[in-house]
Every structure is written in C-alpha cells, then in structure tokens.
Amino acid sequence: MTIVSTTKQILLTGIAGFLISSSLASAQDCTPKHQFATVEAGTLTVAVTTYAPHSFIDDSGAMKGIDGDIAAEFAKRECLKVKAVAVDPAAAIQYVLSGQADITTGDWYRTAERAKVMSLSAPLYTDQMGIYSKEDFKKVSDLEGKQVGTVQGYLWVADLKTLLGDSLKLYPNSVNMQQDLKSGRIDVAVDGYSTGVVAAQKGALGDIKVNVATSDDRVKASKEAAQAAFPYSLKAKELGVALDAGIAEMHADGTIVTILKSYGLDGTAAETGAPRLVE
C-alpha cells in the first residue's frame, strides 16, 4: 500500500467518523417534550385513510392532508419517526383498537358514541358546513324556496329536513350531488366546506362557488360544527396528554391555521371552541 492511498484511507475514515458522530449528536439534540409509549419505539404509527384534503398518502408514500401534516408536526416535536399505513376507512378505528397503530387520520368526529370505545384528542379543527351555488349564497335563508341537495349522514341533515321539507333531496355521495347541481336539477347544495374546496381546486365545480355557511339558529351545525380529532387507545393515557399539549401548542403558534390555508381553506376552521362531543 502506498503512502498516498494510506493517507486517503485515513481521511475517508475520519470523514465517515465525523458524519456518524454528527448524526448521533443531531439525534441527541432532539429532546421530546413528553414521555409516552408508542406501538413501535421511536415511531408514531398512523393508520392513514384516503379522504382529501384531510388525509391521504402521496405518490412518494408520505402521509399528507390536514390531519397528516398535524400528526407529522406532532411527531417531529416529540422526536419520533412516522410510519404511515394506508387503510380503508372501515378498518382504521380497528387498527387503533387492536394496537396496530397509535392514531388514525381522516376527519374523525369527536362523537359520544366513539368516545365509549376509544379516546379522542383535543379538537384539531371543525368540519364546517358549506353552501354550494352559482349565486355565491352564504346564508341558510338563501336555501328557502330552492331545490336543495345534501349528502346523507351529515349533522345538518335533520335540521335542513325540518326547515325545507320536500325541497331537500338526499344523496349517497358528493359526486352525484355535484353532478345534479351543475346540471341544474337542484339549485343549491350543502356539503362539507373542505370537500368543496378540493372539488373546486380540481375544476370539478365549474362556476359553482363554495362558502362556509353563516351561523343560523335553525341549523345547529352552522353554529357548532363537528370537531375533528385523532382517535387513540383508551389505554394510551400518556400519549393522549402529549397529543393534547401538542395540539394546544399548534393552535397557539398558528401552525394549524397555516396547515389549513396550505390546503386552500381560509383558516377559520381552527377556531374550534371548547372540546365537545356530538351526541
């Protein structure tokens, strides 16, 4: 071996050692704010549903969406890696209950029924009631005297049925309702505001405008929209403490507003009010 090659080897070994020590120092520099156990040590395992803009996995395999970005920021602040597992919405809750995931993403409502079997984090944002129309309607009163469509299962359905009677048409999904609105078979539609923002971004709504419904005493969901949360195991009490603290911090420093706006929303959904459960 020549002196030159020996010198080169020493230099390369020194550089490698420096990089390894730098990496270890960087890892040690991250101090978690809380101590809690996770399904896999050092990792936040997330059951990710596909429900844009709240939850999805992008082409690179990264967890994205409003919920996904909040969860990723929480993991970063607690010095955790993220393991995203794509799941069907019907299986997501079971993934958490069975201990295969720490939390799940997908605009999960804080409901009294769900709270019986699992814990729910502090509110992330509200799922606002949206009004879709060519006329740029914003008020519940704008719906009166019109043919109105909405999707089954939302919190506002019962109140709208009382208010509009036979003028309200129920749809199994947003796509069918949007098609009827564009074709003029209904005059106005009521759906989740975030769903409409995504549809508009994709050019699926044409000249239809989407607005957050203004508060109206006759439709409770326009005043108190459902709050979204991260579901987690009843046994994971320390995780829950960390989640609630992290979410409170992200509300206070504007992180959640910034994330909402990055998906085209106006940020007002971050104004969740006190935690509550949908009965």
Side-chain angles (χ1 to χ4, degrees), residues 10 41 62 73 92 96 117 134 158 180 184 188 194 203 219:
I10 292 170
E73 181 63 23
V96 176
V117 295
K134 295 180 180 178
D180 274 9
V188 193
S194 58
V219 181

PDB file of all heavy atoms in Angstrom, residues 10 41 62 73 92 96 117 134 158 180 184 188 194 203 219:
ATOM      1  N   ILE A  10      -7.109   7.206   5.575  1.00  0.00           N
ATOM      2  CA  ILE A  10      -7.244   7.860   6.883  1.00  0.00           C
ATOM      3  C   ILE A  10      -8.232   9.021   6.806  1.00  0.00           C
ATOM      4  O   ILE A  10      -9.086   9.209   7.671  1.00  0.00           O
ATOM      5  CB  ILE A  10      -5.868   8.354   7.367  1.00  0.00           C
ATOM      6  CG1 ILE A  10      -4.970   7.159   7.697  1.00  0.00           C
ATOM      7  CG2 ILE A  10      -6.009   9.264   8.584  1.00  0.00           C
ATOM      8  CD1 ILE A  10      -3.521   7.530   7.962  1.00  0.00           C
ATOM      9  N   ALA A  41     -41.333   1.569  19.229  1.00  0.00           N
ATOM     10  CA  ALA A  41     -40.496   2.533  19.932  1.00  0.00           C
ATOM     11  C   ALA A  41     -39.840   3.514  18.961  1.00  0.00           C
ATOM     12  O   ALA A  41     -39.309   3.119  17.923  1.00  0.00           O
ATOM     13  CB  ALA A  41     -39.417   1.811  20.727  1.00  0.00           C
ATOM     14  N   ALA A  62     -45.579   9.400   1.407  1.00  0.00           N
ATOM     15  CA  ALA A  62     -45.605  10.245   2.602  1.00  0.00           C
ATOM     16  C   ALA A  62     -47.040  10.531   3.033  1.00  0.00           C
ATOM     17  O   ALA A  62     -47.940  10.676   2.206  1.00  0.00           O
ATOM     18  CB  ALA A  62     -44.881  11.559   2.332  1.00  0.00           C
ATOM     19  N   GLU A  73     -46.197  16.969  12.304  1.00  0.00           N
ATOM     20  CA  GLU A  73     -45.598  18.032  13.113  1.00  0.00           C
ATOM     21  C   GLU A  73     -45.528  17.609  14.579  1.00  0.00           C
ATOM     22  O   GLU A  73     -44.529  17.883  15.276  1.00  0.00           O
ATOM     23  CB  GLU A  73     -46.400  19.324  12.974  1.00  0.00           C
ATOM     24  CG  GLU A  73     -45.853  20.507  13.750  1.00  0.00           C
ATOM     25  CD  GLU A  73     -44.471  20.959  13.320  1.00  0.00           C
ATOM     26  OE1 GLU A  73     -44.080  20.679  12.165  1.00  0.00           O
ATOM     27  OE2 GLU A  73     -43.773  21.582  14.144  1.00  0.00           O
ATOM     28  N   ALA A  92     -59.885   1.586   9.862  1.00  0.00           N
ATOM     29  CA  ALA A  92     -58.951   2.477  10.549  1.00  0.00           C
ATOM     30  C   ALA A  92     -59.095   2.438  12.068  1.00  0.00           C
ATOM     31  O   ALA A  92     -58.098   2.329  12.796  1.00  0.00           O
ATOM     32  CB  ALA A  92     -59.138   3.910  10.043  1.00  0.00           C
ATOM     33  N   VAL A  96     -56.395   0.996  15.402  1.00  0.00           N
ATOM     34  CA  VAL A  96     -56.013   1.626  16.668  1.00  0.00           C
ATOM     35  C   VAL A  96     -56.430   0.751  17.843  1.00  0.00           C
ATOM     36  O   VAL A  96     -55.648   0.505  18.764  1.00  0.00           O
ATOM     37  CB  VAL A  96     -56.631   3.029  16.791  1.00  0.00           C
ATOM     38  CG1 VAL A  96     -56.317   3.638  18.150  1.00  0.00           C
ATOM     39  CG2 VAL A  96     -56.121   3.935  15.682  1.00  0.00           C
ATOM     40  N   VAL A 117     -65.539   3.830  23.243  1.00  0.00           N
ATOM     41  CA  VAL A 117     -64.626   2.720  22.968  1.00  0.00           C
ATOM     42  C   VAL A 117     -63.173   3.158  22.780  1.00  0.00           C
ATOM     43  O   VAL A 117     -62.266   2.321  22.761  1.00  0.00           O
ATOM     44  CB  VAL A 117     -65.078   1.938  21.717  1.00  0.00           C
ATOM     45  CG1 VAL A 117     -66.419   1.273  21.955  1.00  0.00           C
ATOM     46  CG2 VAL A 117     -65.135   2.836  20.487  1.00  0.00           C
ATOM     47  N   LYS A 134     -74.232  28.712  -7.673  1.00  0.00           N
ATOM     48  CA  LYS A 134     -73.731  29.607  -8.721  1.00  0.00           C
ATOM     49  C   LYS A 134     -73.931  31.062  -8.308  1.00  0.00           C
ATOM     50  O   LYS A 134     -73.253  31.953  -8.806  1.00  0.00           O
ATOM     51  CB  LYS A 134     -74.446  29.325 -10.043  1.00  0.00           C
ATOM     52  CG  LYS A 134     -74.145  27.936 -10.599  1.00  0.00           C
ATOM     53  CD  LYS A 134     -74.875  27.680 -11.910  1.00  0.00           C
ATOM     54  CE  LYS A 134     -74.568  26.285 -12.441  1.00  0.00           C
ATOM     55  NZ  LYS A 134     -75.300  25.987 -13.706  1.00  0.00           N
ATOM     56  N   ALA A 158     -80.923  16.614   9.565  1.00  0.00           N
ATOM     57  CA  ALA A 158     -82.214  16.633  10.262  1.00  0.00           C
ATOM     58  C   ALA A 158     -82.781  18.049  10.336  1.00  0.00           C
ATOM     59  O   ALA A 158     -83.980  18.265  10.078  1.00  0.00           O
ATOM     60  CB  ALA A 158     -82.060  16.051  11.663  1.00  0.00           C
ATOM     61  N   ASP A 180     -75.738  16.842 -10.164  1.00  0.00           N
ATOM     62  CA  ASP A 180     -77.097  17.402 -10.266  1.00  0.00           C
ATOM     63  C   ASP A 180     -77.077  18.923 -10.112  1.00  0.00           C
ATOM     64  O   ASP A 180     -77.863  19.628 -10.752  1.00  0.00           O
ATOM     65  CB  ASP A 180     -78.002  16.782  -9.189  1.00  0.00           C
ATOM     66  CG  ASP A 180     -78.624  15.465  -9.644  1.00  0.00           C
ATOM     67  OD1 ASP A 180     -78.211  14.952 -10.716  1.00  0.00           O
ATOM     68  OD2 ASP A 180     -79.512  14.946  -8.941  1.00  0.00           O
ATOM     69  N   GLY A 184     -78.278  21.620 -13.031  1.00  0.00           N
ATOM     70  CA  GLY A 184     -79.468  22.405 -12.735  1.00  0.00           C
ATOM     71  C   GLY A 184     -80.626  21.611 -12.170  1.00  0.00           C
ATOM     72  O   GLY A 184     -81.724  22.156 -12.004  1.00  0.00           O
ATOM     73  N   VAL A 188     -79.218  24.489  -5.164  1.00  0.00           N
ATOM     74  CA  VAL A 188     -78.163  24.718  -4.173  1.00  0.00           C
ATOM     75  C   VAL A 188     -77.790  23.379  -3.561  1.00  0.00           C
ATOM     76  O   VAL A 188     -78.616  22.460  -3.499  1.00  0.00           O
ATOM     77  CB  VAL A 188     -78.636  25.662  -3.034  1.00  0.00           C
ATOM     78  CG1 VAL A 188     -77.460  26.146  -2.200  1.00  0.00           C
ATOM     79  CG2 VAL A 188     -79.431  26.830  -3.556  1.00  0.00           C
ATOM     80  N   SER A 194     -64.683  21.826   3.192  1.00  0.00           N
ATOM     81  CA  SER A 194     -63.380  21.356   2.715  1.00  0.00           C
ATOM     82  C   SER A 194     -63.519  20.482   1.477  1.00  0.00           C
ATOM     83  O   SER A 194     -62.688  20.542   0.564  1.00  0.00           O
ATOM     84  CB  SER A 194     -62.659  20.582   3.825  1.00  0.00           C
ATOM     85  OG  SER A 194     -63.429  19.480   4.262  1.00  0.00           O
ATOM     86  N   GLY A 203     -61.211  21.618 -10.472  1.00  0.00           N
ATOM     87  CA  GLY A 203     -62.016  22.074 -11.596  1.00  0.00           C
ATOM     88  C   GLY A 203     -63.306  21.314 -11.781  1.00  0.00           C
ATOM     89  O   GLY A 203     -63.935  21.383 -12.841  1.00  0.00           O
ATOM     90  N   VAL A 219     -80.218  25.786  12.224  1.00  0.00           N
ATOM     91  CA  VAL A 219     -79.366  24.660  11.818  1.00  0.00           C
ATOM     92  C   VAL A 219     -78.163  24.636  12.761  1.00  0.00           C
ATOM     93  O   VAL A 219     -77.218  25.407  12.609  1.00  0.00           O
ATOM     94  CB  VAL A 219     -78.910  24.794  10.353  1.00  0.00           C
ATOM     95  CG1 VAL A 219     -78.053  23.598   9.951  1.00  0.00           C
ATOM     96  CG2 VAL A 219     -80.119  24.913   9.425  1.00  0.00           C
TER      97      VAL A 219
END
